[in-house]
Every structure is written in structure tokens, then in C-alpha cells.
Amino acid sequence: MPTQKLPGRVLVANRGEIARRIIRACHELGIQAVAAYGPGEERALHVEDADDAYRLASDAVLPYLDIEAMIEVARRSGAAAVHPGYGFLAENAAFVGACAEAGLIFIGPPASAIRAMGDKVEARRIAALAGVEAVPGTDEPVGSAEEARTWADHHGYPVAVKAAGGGGGRGFRVARHPEELADAFAGSAGEAARYFGNPAVYVERYLEQPRHVEVQLFADGHGNALALGERDCSVQRRHQKLIEETPAPGIGEDLRQNLWNAAVSLARAVDYRGAGTVEFLLDANGRFYFLEMNTRIQVEHTITEAVTGIDLVKEQIRVAAGFPLSFQRTDVQPRGHAIECRINAEDPGRGFAPGPGTLATYREPGGPGIRVDGAMDVGATILPAYDSLIAKLITWGRDRDEAIARMERALAEFRISGVPTTIPFHQAVLAHPVFRAGEVATTFVADHPEVLPAPSAVAGAVEASSTPEAPGPQREILVEVDGRRLAVRLPEALASVSTPRQATPGRSRPPTKRQRESGGAIAADGTELRSPIQGTVVRVGVETGQDVRKGDLICVVEAMKMENELVAHRDGTVTALGVATGDAVKIGAVLAEIG
């Protein structure tokens, strides 16, 4: 355990809003924050917020996954600790080991806990030993679709095929009938291999209309492990969360305490330290089942902070530095109600298709009980290589009704143009009587398609271009010296000298009127099926000459860390295929001809 001394300098091994959140926590603790950044992010807000910044010297598509490059930035910057945020390297035990070898404090749990909970099959076994019941499923990964079908035929349908080494909705497929299992197995294993480098999957019963409830916990190196409340995360698309709230509505005090106790028992079973979340599925009878444990800070940690008043990121840094928890069980008295809506660059009216592009307008809401965690401003580009999150909108109220009312007001005040967003979807959900009653299940979106707005007319995937020069003399320029980002202010005598500015995808010219009005998707035209999104083909589901019916899978295109199933627009025969696995496609590209 480290001595009780805060690090003087922390490398933030992440980007976007979570990087900014960590930087703010560091500054409140009197710690210098170092940003890492990739191509096109020289002017990103997390870079500008930091005390120092270094480019990741990596040729990887996602440089934030390059362990060697990240450790090198930590070494060169003089950082004493590394905070991984969430995603990327946050739950990578090899990265934790690399930090230890480099003499760096990893602000997160020990590698042993990450390994134990990162293997979902092993996590289920540990949960059982800790007295926490898991959803019925296989005790080992399944090696083939046939093996999965043997288990499913014996235990019944529907079943979920899930990545053994992942989470967050990745590598998750549902088969409701035997004939769907082969595709579910292939899709889950393929996505698991791409996102987690591990194609292993397992099978478990798929619970119909469960609630998704998770418990925020915190543990230190001094024997303390506490629950800080539960969150309901049942409003989802593709098994990925869109709206979260705390406390979970309709949860009685006995059930609440049982959930909290189960989470703490699991944390103690793996000698956990730091912030973590234990996720459960809750059936209609009030029985809960262990789902998984996330060994990191969560996207939705914000709402727990809102009701407890505890800064979870500052607490992470303190615990990693060897300090005990700054609060006791009696201090955890959640007050009021909080809701988070994820504002994504997605088109809910087109199956939540991602819409990378440039923000022509961006204005955040404000007022009592409103918090916005974002990393965008006018002219910023949402890069296709990363996820679609624009900002997290959080509201707090004295009760659930007030939190909902404030969220409705804040959503109406939010001004974003240039890309499609999930704001209309959130507005429809908050007004829906099922949500108002606190009775949402994970199947809510599928069960209530009326919450899906009409397809957006906003253009997505706007091409990046150079940043226009601002009027008046240039007073500050950015330079890189051996990979280190430096902001240089010119003397007054040189202020009028023209200086070139690098064209970066991070800050681009707003879209033209024609681009804004062209629409976010290309409709099928006669026999041609065209791609509504820009991305990479990760799977082709048909062959030339194959007969298909409207709605049959043609191919899967990955964009902004989401896999999008593109389906036949008509009955007929595939007369030509325009793509193969691995191809990059643009909006409007012909995927197939169906005659």
C-alpha cells in the first residue's frame, strides 16, 4: 500500500468528458494534471484544461489503448500516478502491471481484482462463493454454437450469449429461438474479439423484462468497504445505458439493503480497493441476480455524487495514495433524487445510428440542480473512431418529480445543431407514463417504440476541414516540441504576424447549409441498398444469389464503437454485393443490390 501522500502530478489516460472530470478533481486536490492526446486532438478541451499535455506516440487506430505509448508519456511528463477513467485501459490488468513496473500509482483496483471480475465466468463463480446468486448459465466458456445450443435446448429459451472478457453491452446477443443461436454466437464472439481481444463467450438465461439495478461501492486498503446507493439503468439501447437515476424507484428498504450487502460481500471476496459497481438484474418478483462487476469509475457516477455529496473521483485518488475513506457508513445518507441523460450524436429514429460530424451550435443549459459534464464546444468534431457521447446531462431534485421536471427543462434549453442527437428521445421517455410510474424494464424501448422520434434531418459525418481564422491579431499559437504540447503567447510586436493553424478534426468549420439539409441517412433506391452511416464492415451476412426477405441482415457496420445491423429494404435476390468484411464505407455507399 502506498504511503499516505498525494501524488504531485497525475497522467489522465483518457479523453473527453471523463478526462476533464478527472482534471478538475486533481486541481481541487492541488495536483497537476497531464493530458495525453491522439491525432486531431491538439485543441481538445481536455488538453486545454490540463497543466501539461503530450501526444501519444502510437500508430494504433486508438492510441489510448497503446500501453507502451501511455507509459512513455507518464515517464516523460514526470507523473507519479495514472488515472485511467473508464473504457480504454481502465480494466486492463496488463496496464496495471505496466504501471507498477514503471513505479507509477494506478488509480484503481489491484490487477488481481480486475482479472477476477474481468472474466465473467470466473466472476460468476466468485459471486456464488460470496453467496450472491447469478443468472443461471454455463460454468465455462462455450467453444461453439453447437455447444451453446446443447445448453440452451436443455435450459430453455431465450438465452443470452455474452463476452466472457468484456462488458458494457459489448459482445452481447440474444437468441429467442434455436435457429437464431448460430448468428448470436458468431456476433457475440466476433465483437468480443474486436473490443476485448478475447473471443470467449458464455451462455446464460435471458430474463424477460428485468430491471437493471447497480450498486456503487467504495473500498480502501484499511478494511473499509461501503455501498453508496443504487442506480436504476434500465432505459437502454442495444444493452447499453441511456438514462440512469438514483435512488432506484420502487425499491423497498429491505431489498435495497440486500442489494447493498451483496455488493459489499463481492468486493470483500476479491480484496477490492477504489470505486467499483456491482450490477444486478431484478425480476418481476423482486428477486435479484448478479450480472457483473465493473472495476472502474462508471459513466453514471455523477448521479451518486449528486445525492451523496461525495466526490468519487477525488476519493479514488486519495484511496490509491493510501488514505482511508474520508467518510463512514453513517455519512452516506443519500438526499433527493438525481437523473442522468446521455446526450449522444445518434439518430434514435434510425435505430440509434451514430452521426459523427461537426457541432454548428452548442449551448448548455443551466439553473438550479443542473450539471453538464461535456467536452465539446462550437466547431468541435465528434470523431468516428470514438464513441458518440457529446455530454452527460445531470439533474438533481428534492424528489423524483422535481428531478424529472428539471431534466425536461434542461433538455429543452440544450442547443445542439450539426449532428443528430438523443435529446428528442429523452424528452419522449421522460413524458411517457411507464417512466413516470418508475416501471421501466430493460426492454422498454422495444416495448414502446412510440418513444422513438422521426428520423433526424440533420446531416451526420460532415467532412472535417481547416479551422477558419478568427478575426483580429493572433495572440497565442500551439507548438509541439518533441511531442510535448505547448501554448506560446506572442509578444505584442508580433501579434499581427499571420501564423498558420493546423487543420485538426477536433475543431472544424461548421457544416454548410447543403450539408445540414442533406439528411443523416441515404435511403434505399430501387434495387440498391445504401449505407446510412460511415464505418467499417465487420460482418457480411449474405452471399450473391441468396434470396432474402425485407428485414433480413445484409451486413454489420461498426461506427463510433457501435455495431449497426443493416438489413434488406425489400424482398428479392442479392444480385450483387458491394462490400466485404474489413471494407471502409461512407454514407451512401452501395452495400448490395437486391433484385
Side-chain angles (χ1 to χ4, degrees):
M1 199 64 196
T3 57
Q4 294 181 13
K5 180 181 178 181
L6 291 175
R9 203 164 164 87
V10 170
L11 170 63
V12 182
N14 216 299
R15 65 185 298 276
E17 50 79 28
I18 187 59
R20 301 188 76 198
R21 172 71 186 86
I22 296 165
I23 290 168
R24 286 168 172 152
C26 287
H27 288 166
E28 287 190 23
L29 291 171
I31 297 170
Q32 289 191 335
V34 178
Y37 64 93
E41 295 188 300
E42 295 83 356
R43 291 184 178 273
L45 293 186
H46 80 278
V47 174
E48 295 187 350
D49 287 351
D51 300 285
D52 207 348
Y54 289 78
R55 178 188 292 273
L56 288 160
S58 174
D59 295 327
V61 175
L62 295 177
Y64 293 92
L65 289 174
D66 191 323
I67 292 177
E68 291 184 6
M70 195 65 74
I71 294 295
E72 178 62 13
V73 167
R75 184 193 66 78
R76 293 185 58 208
S77 67
V82 177
H83 195 307
Y86 51 71
F88 296 128
L89 296 172
E91 296 178 280
N92 188 309
F95 182 55
V96 181
C99 288
E101 290 179 8
L104 298 164
I105 298 171
F106 179 78
I107 301 175
S112 57
I114 291 176
R115 281 192 294 267
M117 292 293 102
D119 183 332
K120 304 308 178 187
V121 176
E122 175 67 6
R124 289 163 55 85
R125 186 188 68 81
I126 294 172
L129 292 175
V132 182
E133 185 179 6
V135 178
T138 58
D139 295 327
E140 300 290 340
V142 293
S144 66
E146 291 73 22
E147 187 178 341
R149 183 165 181 169
T150 298
W151 188 91
D153 287 345
H154 180 71
H155 291 84
Y157 289 85
V159 298
V161 185
K162 304 176 71 172
R170 307 292 182 192
F172 187 124
R173 298 291 187 277
V174 176
R176 297 186 176 279
H177 307 284
E179 58 271 20
E180 298 175 352
L181 196 50
D183 280 347
F185 180 89
S188 179
E191 190 174 27
R194 287 187 294 276
Y195 281 99
F196 311 118
N198 178 5
V201 299
Y202 66 100
V203 180
E204 67 180 24
R205 284 296 306 273
Y206 181 69
L207 301 183
E208 295 284 10
Q209 296 187 312
R211 292 178 63 183
H212 186 144
V213 178
E214 63 188 23
V215 175
Q216 175 70 60
L217 61 86
F218 229 108
D220 61 21
H222 301 268
N224 302 304
L226 300 174
L228 280 76
E230 82 289 340
R231 302 183 286 251
D232 189 299
C233 309
S234 299
V235 180
Q236 305 177 355
R237 56 100 172 91
R238 306 181 193 186
H239 310 292
Q240 295 171 329
K241 305 163 188 173
L242 286 170
I243 300 177
E244 301 99 350
E245 60 179 309
T246 187
I251 299 291
E253 193 56 34
D254 288 345
L255 177 56
R256 173 172 288 114
Q257 290 301 321
N258 289 338
L259 286 165
W260 291 16
N261 292 338
V264 170
S265 295
L266 194 58
R268 292 191 182 282
V270 293
D271 191 25
Y272 198 78
R273 289 198 300 275
T277 305
V278 181
E279 306 202 4
F280 301 94
L281 292 180
L282 185 66
D283 69 17
N285 298 317
R287 187 174 181 178
F288 64 88
Y289 301 88
F290 169 70
L291 185 62
E292 63 182 9
M293 182 178 184
N294 293 301
T295 53
R296 51 173 166 78
I297 196 77
Q298 290 267 98
V299 175
E300 59 272 24
H301 74 277
T302 56
I303 55 175
T304 296
E305 291 181 329
V307 298
T308 63
I310 297 171
D311 187 320
L312 300 185
V313 178
K314 283 167 58 176
E315 201 70 23
Q316 281 187 295
I317 298 170
R318 287 176 45 82
V319 166
F323 290 90
L325 293 179
S326 65
F327 53 88
Q328 300 177 355
R329 178 68 191 88
T330 53
D331 299 322
V332 183
Q333 301 293 335
R335 174 176 170 268
H337 200 95
I339 302 173
E340 175 181 280
C341 287
R342 302 190 191 192
I343 311 302
N344 296 338
E346 297 173 7
D347 188 348
R350 292 190 174 93
F352 293 93
T358 301
L359 300 184
T361 304
Y362 183 82
R363 190 180 76 196
E364 296 176 350
I370 307 297
R371 167 178 168 180
V372 181
D373 279 20
M376 297 285 173
D377 58 6
V378 174
T381 291
I382 299 155
L383 302 174
Y386 300 107
D387 66 38
S388 60
L389 183 67
I390 298 173
K392 301 185 309 195
L393 177 59
I394 302 99
T395 62
W396 177 88
R398 290 168 296 176
D399 54 30
R400 188 170 186 260
D401 287 342
E402 186 173 58
I404 291 174
R406 283 178 169 167
M407 181 60 75
E408 290 181 316
R409 173 178 65 79
L411 289 167
E413 288 181 9
F414 222 137
R415 295 288 183 270
I416 301 175
S417 68
V419 296
T421 77
T422 50
I423 288 176
F425 165 81
H426 290 308
Q427 292 172 317
V429 172
L430 265 65
H432 199 279
V434 173
F435 181 85
R436 291 280 185 167
E439 297 173 351
V440 171
T442 58
T443 57
F444 174 77
V445 175
D447 294 340
H448 297 281
E450 62 270 20
V451 300
L452 297 175
S456 172
V458 178
V462 178
E463 293 294 332
S465 59
S466 60
T467 306
E469 292 294 336
Q474 175 84 20
R475 298 184 181 275
E476 180 179 277
I477 62 172
L478 293 181
V479 297
E480 285 187 5
V481 179
D482 195 22
R484 182 182 184 186
R485 176 193 182 275
L486 299 171
V488 179
R489 290 191 176 275
L490 295 179
E492 190 66 30
L494 298 177
S496 62
V497 177
S498 177
T499 55
R501 298 183 68 178
Q502 182 179 9
T504 66
R507 297 286 175 88
S508 302
R509 181 179 293 118
T512 65
K513 184 173 185 292
R514 180 186 64 78
Q515 288 172 324
R516 288 197 300 269
E517 294 177 351
S518 65
I522 305 298
D525 181 16
T527 62
E528 292 183 341
L529 175 67
R530 297 172 178 267
S531 179
I533 55 177
Q534 175 180 320
T536 302
V537 178
V538 296
R539 183 176 162 219
V540 176
V542 294
E543 299 176 349
T544 302
Q546 182 175 330
D547 291 336
V548 295
R549 297 184 64 83
K550 183 178 180 179
D552 285 351
L553 176 70
I554 300 299
C555 66
V556 179
V557 176
E558 180 186 69
M560 298 178 76
K561 298 179 71 177
M562 284 202 305
E563 293 196 351
N564 303 273
E565 296 185 348
L566 304 184
V567 301
H569 62 293
R570 57 182 293 179
D571 296 349
T573 302
V574 179
T575 57
L577 276 173
V579 294
T581 300
D583 285 356
V585 296
K586 293 185 177 181
I587 292 178
V590 177
L591 304 174
E593 292 186 14
I594 303 175

